[in-house]
Amino acid sequence: MNTDKLSVRLETVAKYVPFGARVADIGSDHAYLPSYLAKNGRISFGIAGEVAKGPFQSAEKNVMAEGLSDIISVRMGDGLEVIQPGDADCITIAGMGGSLIADILDKGKEKLATVRRLVLQPNINAIAIRQWLIDNEWELISEEIIEEDNKIYEILAAEKGDALKPYRDVPFETGILVGPFLLQRKEAPFTKKWLLEKKNWKRIYEQLESAAPSAETEEKKQEVVKKINLIEEVLDNEESEWS
Ligand code: SAM
């Protein structure tokens, strides 16, 4: 991956950045995403935000080497603290856990006043982001699920709006866990992901079965069974090499 050729994962994130946007990429690492967008004339301004010194320095180095310093500002800081109100109309946060992404958005809520689109790519725990979007009145407008190098990624795009709209045509508990749009499409990476999760929960259940009985163990077992049942319903009891 470099500033000319992104991974499929980051290219999918890039696809949801509106043409001409002022984008802030939080946790930008090498600044590949904003650099790629700037080189292709897709953004009018970019911020590459980084909390860690090493990635910040490599973002600075890349942006300078590409001659993009007029368009991209590389800033060191925690989450949305690198942006001032009005700096950005689109925020991308990719390659972190869903809880961390939700936390970054929550801590920087006041910076979101002028932001019109969020493009978020959690590596795990996308449910934490879907919950945050609902709690903060952001409407999920699109979801994608892709497989690259044997890993499965979800990409979520949201805009201010009717946060519950995507959940009206699906069972809420299932929709928030697996994604309301992804649930309706059930593409191959989706099926693979949830068969793997089910297998994992079955393993956890077996471990709990052999643990010393207690009220806590029983409660955990019930939670796990609930999740397994939910996924079995989603997958219509589909079996495969991953089940
Ligand atoms: N966004 C790039 C991508 O998707 O390929 C890089 C992902 S990398 C795994 C995660 C980056 O986020 C790291 O460089 C890390 O330093 C940065 N990061 C983690 N927490 C952060 C925070 N609170 N604020 C800014 N950057 C953060």
Side-chain angles (χ1 to χ4, degrees):
M1 186 163 52
N2 54 44
T3 55
D4 292 315
K5 177 109 186 76
L6 294 181
S7 59
V8 176
R9 174 181 65 82
L10 280 184
E11 209 174 292
T12 311
V13 173
K15 193 170 100 177
Y16 285 97
V17 175
F19 189 84
R22 294 172 64 81
V23 68
D25 183 41
I26 305 301
S28 199
D29 202 351
H30 298 85
Y32 287 149
L33 177 62
S35 299
Y36 169 88
L37 288 165
K39 276 173 93 170
N40 288 284
R42 304 246 308 258
I43 52 170
S44 55
F45 174 66
I47 293 169
E50 251 300 336
V51 75
K53 197 170 171 197
F56 166 76
Q57 286 171 334
S58 88
E60 264 195 325
K61 193 172 135 228
N62 283 340
V63 168
M64 215 137 40
E66 298 284 354
L68 295 170
S69 303
D70 286 350
I71 304 179
I72 299 174
S73 166
V74 182
R75 301 180 186 176
M76 188 157 164
D78 184 2
L80 304 191
E81 84 180 19
V82 296
I83 60 175
Q84 298 307 316
D87 264 355
D89 51 29
C90 176
I91 288 179
T92 55
I93 313 181
M96 303 176 207
S99 304
L100 177 56
I101 293 177
D103 214 45
I104 288 174
L105 292 169
D106 209 59
K107 279 204 289 190
K109 266 185 206 173
E110 77 284 1
K111 303 288 178 62
L112 297 176
T114 56
V115 174
R116 296 171 60 187
R117 181 168 297 177
L118 301 173
V119 189
L120 311 168
Q121 183 269 302
N123 288 343
I124 53 163
N125 205 17
I127 186 173
I129 294 180
R130 293 191 188 96
Q131 187 62 61
W132 186 90
L133 294 173
I134 291 172
D135 294 345
N136 292 279
E137 293 170 10
W138 284 83
E139 178 183 332
L140 199 55
I141 56 161
S142 188
E143 291 176 308
E144 297 220 15
I145 189 161
I146 58 139
E147 181 171 1
E148 183 172 44
D149 297 335
N150 229 11
K151 292 197 191 92
I152 295 169
Y153 302 104
E154 290 168 66
I155 295 96
L156 282 58
E159 292 184 350
K160 271 282 176 189
D162 178 356
L164 289 176
K165 188 172 162 201
Y167 300 92
R168 296 226 165 87
D169 297 331
V170 297
F172 180 78
E173 219 179 339
T174 315
I176 194 164
L177 177 66
V178 305
F181 297 111
L182 300 177
L183 173 62
Q184 291 179 32
R185 300 204 300 268
K186 292 187 189 173
E187 293 147 315
F190 175 91
T191 305
K192 183 171 176 179
K193 173 185 168 82
W194 292 106
L195 282 170
L196 281 165
E197 292 280 353
K198 186 176 91 168
K199 194 175 172 184
N200 194 31
W201 285 332
K202 280 189 167 171
R203 200 170 31 235
I204 292 170
Y205 183 83
E206 279 156 22
Q207 283 165 0
L208 289 169
E209 280 251 282
S210 51
S214 71
E216 197 191 343
T217 311
E218 200 47 46
E219 199 182 317
K220 277 192 190 150
K221 269 166 67 180
Q222 279 174 21
E223 270 173 37
V224 172
V225 168
K226 195 172 159 194
K227 281 182 183 167
I228 293 171
N229 289 341
L230 211 130
I231 292 309
E232 282 182 343
E233 264 174 46
V234 166
L235 299 175
D236 303 324
N237 294 318
E238 186 167 348
E239 294 296 324
S240 83
E241 60 183 298
W242 300 294
S243 60

